[in-house]
Amino acid sequence: MADPLTLFTSIGLSEQKAKETLKNDALCSALKDAIAQAQRVLGASGVDKATGTLLYTMASRLRDPKRLGFLTDHIAQRKICTELQLAAALEFVKSHPQDPINQKEFESLCGVGVVITPEQVEDKVEKVIKKHKDQLLQERYRFNMGLLMGEARGGLMWADGKMIKNEVDIQVLHLLGPKTEADLEKKPKVTFHTNYKTEGYVVTPKTMDLLKQHLEFTGGQIRTRFPPEPNGILHIGHAKAINFNFGYAKANDGICYLRYDDTNPEKEEEKYFTAIKDMVEWLGYKPYEITHASDNFQRLYDLAVDLIRRGHAYVCHQRGEELKGHNPPPSPWRERPAEESLVLFDRMRRGLFAEGEVTLRMKIVMEDGKMDPVAYRIKYTAHHRTGDAWCIYPTYDYTHCLCDSIENITHSLCTKEFQARRSSYFWLCNALDVYCPVQWEYGRLNLTYTVVSKRKIIKLVEEGTVRDWDDPRLFTLTALRRRGFPSEAINNFCAKVGVTVAQATMEPHMLESCVRDVLNDHAPRAMAVLEPLKVTITNLPEGIQNDVRVPDFPANEFMGSHVVPFTRTIFIEQSDFREVMEKGYKRLTPDQPVGLRHAGYVVSVQKVIKGRVVELEVHCCSSHEAAEKPKAFIHWVSEPQKCEIRLYERLFLHKNPEDPSEVPGGFLSDINPNSLQVIDSALVDISVSKAKVFDKFQFERVGYFALDPDSTADKLVFNRTVTLKEDPGKM
């Protein structure tokens, strides 16, 4: 056999695609086996490009290697000739893992042997256009041609999509003639979302009628939802989800719901409901309506009964431990009669079984190979909203898509890990003949040097490593707000990251850069001294106080100012004085004067009072009288207020604290011992004395700070949000 690269390009793969395939050992091996078997079937004629494309698609999507030969034979024998037939065949073998395969059922459900002629396509399209002729003539090319495509395909399940589209285009052109200038004008309003064109979306004979009813209800309005579980605090990854869901709706003049996925009463607490709503609103978004999955408990139960009646669900007695792992044994109760499952499901509802004794399972194999996911389980736990009314609760896999359908959501936007649930999402809606929204996946947002898992944050709290969910060293949204991150900066960061299918792992300094950009424009200036050094100005008399006006934003003095006192005694940073002059040092020394910011004075050292240096006596003069301009101007405080300053660094030492190859001892062994430094004797000017919790300031030459909720009337507490400039050592 030829080398793999030559072999793969010989069946029609591009050289780039062939090289990418070689990097995936499992795919490479499967494709080589499929080609070898196809060549044995085809003999001298070899594998042409059309067959090669089908073989590649089959090898890349097949989850059960034992079906490789079976499907390869059907492709090589031209029994499976189209992507549609192959998709149906892959779905069939996934949902029928047991041997032997029922050949007759397989061929019937996969369109084997079905040939759709051009005449059939022409006849079907002609009937569909005739049905919509009046509306077509009225709306011309503004008419939604997708409806024509959908209805034509509804009667020709195995027809080639391109053939149908070409025929629709030809017949529409024949009816309406070429497009006019009026036809080419921008459509003023979107009245239909093209859900059914999304890859993987299943069109059933009832799809178009259900979409029509949906459109009559919504008027073509885009509807999204943000559906968090109320069992933890939102983190930076949720900020991206909030921005995407609410932002997509807003950009399209649509609406977005905040829906609590409250189907697990054991882990839900009122504080999480409140915190989630607060964070959504803090980011600047107002939900169109706040809903709960529990609003629909009765309807979801009724739909589950209907699902059983239709033969798509059954009551199962396998225990939870039996269902764990990658290949749990098939349920021996899968083919239980619907009537029997209905009786048992009613008994579940009435509390006649113990927890874990029975579940309701759906008859579907998911994209990740998980078979028959659980739809309902028993939990004898009171629900925060429904109390003891229910002892069975629906799972995410069952609830999510049906609540979307009930709320007429148009786009179910979720992160990439939910792609494995997309087929079950579409399947469940279609199995119950209810309106089916579309599911779009995007890459989640991760940050290095942190953990966001609820379980791991709880562990950090329990171990005393952090104080609570809002500890400013975490990247929960409540923690970021407490640290002083503006919501605008978080939204800007999410916008910079963008929405892509690929997962985004970002460095914290990129978020901090967005924070600086916002705070530089919106945080008023103040002066604070973290490590005070007392300075007495000997040539100012006792009891004299001057008022110094300090601009809130020095770059734009029209944005306001505040007044601070200037007296004989001031305080400067210890680091702004050195007894021994060093090369390059521009601040105060016994031989080098320094300017005082905003005061208009230059001070020079007269006397150093020691133990270690505990005080300076200096002489001051007006900056206009100074012999030469000072090399530097430093900040200072006078008649200050004492405060506590908390300086934060990264909580973890390594970029990926959850990666065993990087941190073999686990994330708890990677804690940075210097992640928090508390300075309890700092001094701040009196301009901040009336600050409110979360108010933000730039302490000149020190950093950006926010007032912490721990503050009292007697003692203010400030959290350092970020330094003034990025630390190059953190990049």
Side-chain angles (χ1 to χ4, degrees):
M1 185 180 284
D3 70 272
L5 183 63
T6 303
L7 179 66
F8 294 163
T9 54
S10 73
I11 65 166
L13 296 190
S14 66
E15 186 172 342
Q16 181 182 355
K17 177 64 74 175
K19 288 180 177 178
E20 289 175 1
T21 303
L22 290 173
K23 296 176 184 177
N24 185 327
D25 292 340
L27 175 57
C28 180
S29 175
L31 186 55
K32 284 196 292 185
D33 290 345
I35 294 171
Q37 182 164 337
Q39 286 174 335
R40 288 194 292 273
V41 174
L42 294 167
S45 62
V47 178
D48 59 23
K49 184 174 181 179
T51 303
T53 300
L54 291 174
L55 290 176
Y56 176 81
T57 302
M58 181 266 295
S60 60
R61 293 178 57 190
L62 184 63
R63 296 290 178 265
D64 186 355
K66 72 181 181 181
R67 302 300 188 200
L68 184 79
F70 176 79
L71 293 180
T72 298
D73 283 345
H74 280 76
I75 293 171
Q77 294 167 17
R78 306 290 197 271
K79 291 181 178 180
I80 294 177
C81 307
T82 68
E83 292 284 347
L84 273 175
Q85 290 174 325
L86 179 57
L90 288 166
E91 180 62 30
F92 185 93
V93 297
K94 186 166 65 175
S95 59
H96 294 75
Q98 295 90 4
D99 288 321
I101 283 181
N102 185 319
Q103 187 71 30
K104 186 176 180 180
E105 183 184 8
F106 172 79
E107 293 184 358
S108 172
L109 293 176
C110 300
V112 173
V114 177
V115 177
I116 305 295
T117 66
E119 290 75 20
Q120 287 175 286
V121 173
E122 181 181 355
D123 181 59
K124 181 63 177 178
V125 171
E126 187 177 328
K127 290 178 181 176
V128 172
I129 287 183
K130 184 177 179 180
K131 174 183 173 184
H132 296 282
K133 182 177 179 181
D134 292 343
Q135 193 176 355
L136 269 165
L137 290 171
Q138 180 183 352
E139 298 181 16
R140 291 182 58 77
Y141 287 97
R142 294 190 190 282
F143 182 84
N144 177 28
M145 302 301 171
L147 281 173
L148 305 180
M149 286 279 296
E151 290 190 21
R153 180 179 288 285
L156 301 169
M157 182 176 176
W158 304 110
D160 181 71
K162 291 179 181 178
M163 186 189 300
I164 293 178
K165 185 179 185 306
N166 290 339
E167 187 61 35
V168 168
D169 290 345
I170 290 170
Q171 293 198 33
V172 168
L173 180 63
H174 179 73
L175 176 66
L176 303 179
K179 289 184 178 180
T180 64
E181 288 187 11
D183 293 325
L184 295 171
E185 287 179 7
K186 188 175 180 181
K187 196 171 183 178
K189 182 182 177 184
V190 177
T191 59
F192 186 77
H193 59 85
T194 54
N195 282 8
Y196 68 97
K197 292 184 179 179
T198 296
E199 180 184 356
Y201 190 85
V202 179
V203 177
T204 72
K206 294 192 176 183
T207 295
M208 290 306 161
D209 285 339
L210 291 167
L211 279 174
K212 184 178 179 182
Q213 294 169 22
H214 159 77
L215 287 167
E216 287 173 355
F217 182 84
T218 64
Q221 181 184 52
I222 295 294
R223 293 180 163 216
T224 60
R225 81 289 171 273
F226 174 58
E229 296 177 71
N231 59 5
I233 299 296
L234 303 182
H235 55 70
I236 187 67
H238 290 113
K240 179 178 178 179
I242 292 169
N243 272 271
F244 189 20
N245 277 284
F246 282 91
Y248 183 74
K250 184 178 180 181
N252 290 280
D253 297 320
I255 60 176
C256 183
Y257 291 81
L258 168 58
R259 184 206 306 146
Y260 294 110
D261 182 18
D262 56 342
T263 59
N264 193 356
E266 292 173 326
K267 298 182 179 180
E268 294 157 5
E269 296 182 40
E270 186 59 37
K271 67 177 182 179
Y272 297 136
F273 287 85
T274 303
I276 288 169
K277 177 177 177 289
D278 287 349
M279 289 301 97
V280 169
E281 293 176 347
W282 176 62
L283 289 176
Y285 295 106
K286 182 173 177 58
Y288 171 75
E289 187 178 342
I290 296 176
T291 61
H292 302 74
S294 57
D295 297 338
N296 302 305
F297 274 176
Q298 183 61 52
R299 189 165 179 184
L300 292 169
Y301 176 80
D302 293 340
L303 287 169
V305 170
D306 190 21
L307 195 68
I308 297 170
R309 286 197 180 111
R310 292 168 180 254
H312 297 311
Y314 62 96
V315 171
C316 176
H317 299 274
Q318 283 180 298
R319 297 280 182 169
E321 55 271 17
E322 295 179 69
L323 302 178
K324 292 179 180 178
H326 294 293
N327 294 297
S331 171
W333 293 278
R334 195 173 200 267
E335 302 307 324
R336 163 176 268 159
E339 294 76 12
E340 189 176 314
S341 283
L342 286 169
V343 171
L344 293 171
F345 190 48
D346 178 65
R347 293 182 67 195
M348 286 174 62
R349 166 75 176 84
R350 290 187 288 122
L352 301 180
F353 291 104
E355 281 194 24
E357 188 177 353
V358 289
T359 58
L360 181 71
R361 297 176 66 183
M362 298 176 282
K363 291 184 180 180
I364 181 178
V365 180
M366 300 173 72
E367 290 182 31
D368 59 0
K370 181 181 177 183
M371 186 172 180
D372 295 356
V374 172
Y376 269 86
R377 72 278 202 218
I378 297 171
K379 287 183 179 292
Y380 291 108
T381 303
H383 191 274
H384 74 288
R385 297 185 75 238
T386 62
D388 294 322
W390 296 89
C391 63
I392 57 170
Y393 293 97
T395 61
Y396 175 91
D397 288 323
Y398 177 78
T399 306
H400 185 60
C401 60
L402 295 180
C403 284
D404 282 351
S405 178
I406 291 166
E407 292 178 356
N408 272 288
I409 299 302
T410 58
H411 298 77
S412 173
L413 308 174
C414 54
T415 48
K416 198 79 169 75
E417 62 263 34
F418 291 98
Q419 184 171 356
R421 290 169 157 142
R422 188 203 292 178
S423 61
S424 67
Y425 184 106
F426 295 155
W427 173 86
L428 183 53
C429 288
N430 290 325
L432 288 166
D433 287 327
V434 297
Y435 158 70
C436 184
V438 66
Q439 177 172 304
W440 286 355
E441 302 92 10
Y442 60 92
R444 67 181 296 168
L445 171 61
N446 292 325
L447 280 184
T448 54
Y449 295 101
T450 191
V451 297
V452 294
S453 155
K454 296 168 189 173
R455 180 177 57 81
K456 290 178 180 175
I457 291 177
I458 289 172
K459 192 71 175 173
L460 290 170
V461 174
E462 290 174 346
E463 294 284 328
T465 304
V466 298
R467 294 174 60 185
D468 208 336
W469 291 82
D470 65 347
D471 188 297
R473 290 167 290 179
L474 297 173
F475 280 83
T476 61
L477 294 184
T478 50
L480 295 179
R481 179 177 65 172
R482 184 170 186 171
R483 185 162 171 170
F485 281 37
S487 57
E488 181 185 348
I490 293 174
N491 292 341
N492 291 347
F493 174 66
C494 292
K496 281 188 175 182
V497 171
V499 179
T500 62
V501 176
Q503 179 172 290
T505 300
M506 314 302 290
E507 300 278 348
H509 70 79
M510 297 184 67
L511 173 57
E512 291 170 357
S513 175
C514 293
V515 171
R516 289 188 188 91
D517 289 344
V518 173
L519 291 180
N520 186 54
D521 293 336
H522 298 288
R525 276 45 170 180
M527 291 189 287
V529 173
L530 273 56
E531 297 180 308
L533 174 61
K534 183 179 178 182
V535 176
T536 301
I537 303 173
T538 57
N539 61 327
L540 282 184
E542 295 274 1
I544 295 296
Q545 176 179 308
N546 296 324
D547 288 338
V548 174
R549 186 161 293 278
V550 178
D552 292 335
F553 298 91
N556 185 352
E557 295 193 7
F558 293 104
M559 293 180 68
S561 62
H562 58 275
V563 173
V564 296
F566 184 81
T567 66
R568 176 183 170 89
T569 300
I570 65 173
F571 296 87
I572 67 173
E573 291 284 359
Q574 291 180 19
S575 59
D576 282 337
F577 171 74
R578 288 188 184 174
E579 270 195 282
V580 180
M581 181 69 174
E582 295 178 11
K583 184 178 180 180
Y585 188 75
K586 297 181 179 181
R587 286 161 282 166
L588 187 61
T589 71
D591 300 315
Q592 179 170 273
V594 72
L596 299 178
R597 290 177 68 83
H598 309 299
Y601 292 116
V602 175
V603 297
S604 52
V605 175
Q606 303 295 305
K607 182 180 179 181
V608 178
I609 299 172
K610 294 187 178 179
R612 57 185 179 88
V613 177
V614 294
E615 185 180 345
L616 302 177
E617 291 183 353
V618 301
H619 179 278
C620 81
C621 65
S622 168
S623 56
H624 302 296
E625 299 171 357
E628 60 183 58
K629 183 178 179 180
K631 294 180 180 179
F633 286 81
I634 62 174
H635 66 283
W636 52 274
V637 292
S638 182
E639 300 292 325
Q641 182 169 351
K642 190 174 180 181
C643 68
E644 178 180 306
I645 297 286
R646 298 171 181 172
L647 305 178
Y648 298 99
E649 297 292 343
R650 290 173 180 152
L651 182 58
F652 296 98
L653 297 170
H654 291 83
K655 271 190 176 184
N656 303 296
E658 298 172 275
D659 185 350
S661 63
E662 200 169 325
V663 185
F667 73 101
L668 288 175
S669 70
D670 196 47
I671 303 300
N672 176 7
N674 301 312
S675 63
L676 171 61
Q677 178 188 356
V678 178
I679 301 172
D680 59 9
S681 57
L683 303 173
V684 63
D685 75 47
I686 60 171
S687 69
V688 304
S689 59
K690 295 184 178 179
K692 299 186 293 294
V693 170
F694 302 138
D695 278 357
K696 301 163 184 60
F697 301 92
Q698 183 196 108
F699 290 166
E700 296 196 41
R701 300 179 61 237
V702 179
Y704 293 102
F705 291 78
L707 191 68
D708 189 83
D710 287 344
S711 298
T712 66
D714 299 324
K715 186 176 184 180
L716 300 181
V717 178
F718 289 94
N719 295 317
R720 184 172 68 186
T721 307
V722 288
T723 55
L724 290 177
K725 294 182 180 180
E726 186 174 307
D727 181 354
K730 291 185 179 181
M731 294 180 64

